Amino acid sequence: MTSRPAPAPPPESGPPGAVTETSGEGSGEDRIAGGRAVGERAAGEGAVSAWAAGDRITPDGVTVTPDLGTPAPPSADRATADLLDRFLAGLRPRLPLLRALWAHGSLAGGDYQQGRSDLDLIAVVDRPCTPDEERQLGALHETLDRTDPLAAKLHCSYLAADKTADPARRHLTWAHRELMRRTVTPVTRRELHMFGRVLHGDTPAALLPPVNDAQLAAFIRADLRDYWRPALEDPELWLQDIWVDLGLLTLARATVTLRDGTLISKGEALAVLGELGAPDEVIADIRNRRYGPAAPPPPPGPAHPSDALTRRADLTRAFLGPALDRTLAAYGHSSPAPQG
């Protein structure tokens, strides 16, 4: 398979089976965030496995935390909370029919790392945005981006309340500093029902149809098979931190979800990577970049891959290809095991 132009980096957050979309974010939309679209659909919804009181068993046998409509907890850092306040205040006059604003991914699940994690949001309006409203939303995001360094990681999809049922439908989305059309994936939908945080308005249960286990598993398998496996054929991608991080974390999260139906955080995925046999030095590299001290900025001038990056890329690809194949062979046609 011939190499492709590098897709746009995926959103930081990633689901089990990362797939995100972008301008269609799915393979071909925007991508990497866990999955699919670098430049196309990155699967990246960040999933978390902290269960709240009142868990229930779905008809598919999966433990799901009811959507209680709890407000988002105060951010650990004031800067993130201030940005979310400014964003909501800017949305209200531009979208008078705003029904809801929700957070998912790391921000909702408890694994958010200020300045490193994406701010993954979903806004629901009564009807599709007009061209003028789309321009106003773009201007709002651009203003925030110019005035707040955290805004570069703020991603938001805008759904019309009567257009939420089809996971394949593409919605107006701001991501990677531009407006595009992309889907709201089954992973994101499951996250919203399990631990989505309400920043404004109605709860996900009131406006968003649930995702069953078969739909979730099918989506994750397709993401691993059709996005991540072929991406290993382009060695240059794997010199980048984002590909190494999301590729390995997506595998771990996807494996757990396919195995037993639960969603886990990126932090929890690091432990699973060890169980799957991922190289210890690559796991340590990911952990340090996500949870360790901030790294110094790269030196100015053209970047050239170091021997360390080349070694990391080789280790990652040598592990990830067979590991993806094992996960797909083990869970390629089965639903997650019921939770008791």
Side-chain angles (χ1 to χ4, degrees), residues 36-286:
R36 195 157 283 205
V38 175
E40 52 178 310
R41 160 186 60 139
E45 298 97 273
V48 176
S49 65
W51 308 109
D55 295 347
R56 61 185 173 80
I57 305 298
T58 70
D60 301 332
V62 174
T63 303
V64 175
T65 299
D67 172 8
L68 303 176
T70 52
S75 174
D77 63 286
R78 190 65 246 167
T80 299
D82 287 346
L83 173 59
L84 294 173
D85 288 344
R86 289 180 62 202
F87 179 56
L88 179 56
L91 283 184
R92 283 172 165 157
R94 292 170 173 83
L95 295 177
L97 301 178
L98 182 65
R99 296 277 300 275
L101 180 65
W102 306 319
H104 63 98
S106 300
L107 185 62
D111 194 33
Y112 176 71
Q113 304 295 307
Q114 187 264 325
R116 304 184 190 190
S117 299
D118 286 342
L119 299 169
D120 296 313
L121 306 175
I122 301 288
V124 182
V125 294
D126 271 350
R127 53 158 176 75
C129 295
T130 66
D132 182 60
E133 288 168 340
E134 292 188 9
R135 285 191 292 272
Q136 291 186 50
L137 289 172
L140 170 62
H141 284 286
E142 289 171 354
T143 298
L144 292 174
D145 196 34
R146 288 194 303 270
T147 58
D148 192 321
L150 293 179
K153 290 184 169 293
L154 191 156
H155 302 157
C156 187
S157 291
Y158 297 88
L159 286 63
D162 63 346
K163 308 291 185 184
T164 62
D166 182 5
R169 185 180 186 89
R170 294 182 179 184
H171 305 272
L172 178 71
T173 298
W174 176 268
H176 308 302
R177 295 177 161 172
E178 63 178 324
L179 283 173
M180 59 188 71
R181 305 279 171 181
R182 71 188 220 182
T183 65
V184 175
T185 69
V187 174
T188 292
R189 291 165 181 262
R190 177 61 71 89
E191 285 184 359
L192 285 166
H193 279 279
M194 289 177 64
F195 55 83
R197 295 293 177 173
V198 177
L199 303 176
H200 169 78
D202 293 328
T203 67
L207 298 174
L208 193 68
V211 174
N212 65 39
D213 295 347
Q215 292 171 320
L216 182 64
F219 174 79
I220 292 172
R221 289 194 298 265
D223 188 53
L224 298 182
R225 181 187 65 240
D226 301 335
Y227 185 79
W228 287 106
R229 195 61 177 88
L232 290 170
E233 298 182 27
D234 189 341
E236 291 188 5
L237 293 179
W238 300 91
L239 295 169
Q240 303 173 50
D241 292 346
I242 188 71
W243 282 88
V244 172
D245 294 2
L246 291 181
L248 291 181
L249 295 174
T250 292
L251 166 70
R253 300 170 81 182
T255 299
V256 172
T257 302
L258 291 173
R259 183 183 67 207
D260 58 29
T262 60
L263 300 180
I264 63 172
S265 69
K266 290 185 174 69
E268 292 168 315
L270 287 169
V272 175
L273 282 174
E275 298 169 7
L276 295 175
D280 290 341
E281 66 185 82
V282 180
I283 297 174
D285 178 64
I286 297 172

Side-chain angles (χ1 to χ4, degrees), residues 286-333:
I286 297 172
R287 178 181 289 109
N288 185 64
R289 239 171 316 96
R290 182 166 179 82
Y291 301 104
H304 300 287
S306 65
D307 290 344
L309 289 180
T310 300
R311 172 178 168 78
R312 186 186 68 177
D314 291 344
L315 288 172
T316 298
R317 293 174 64 233
F319 161 74
L320 193 53
L324 285 168
D325 293 342
R326 287 192 295 271
T327 291
L328 287 168
Y331 307 106
H333 301 287

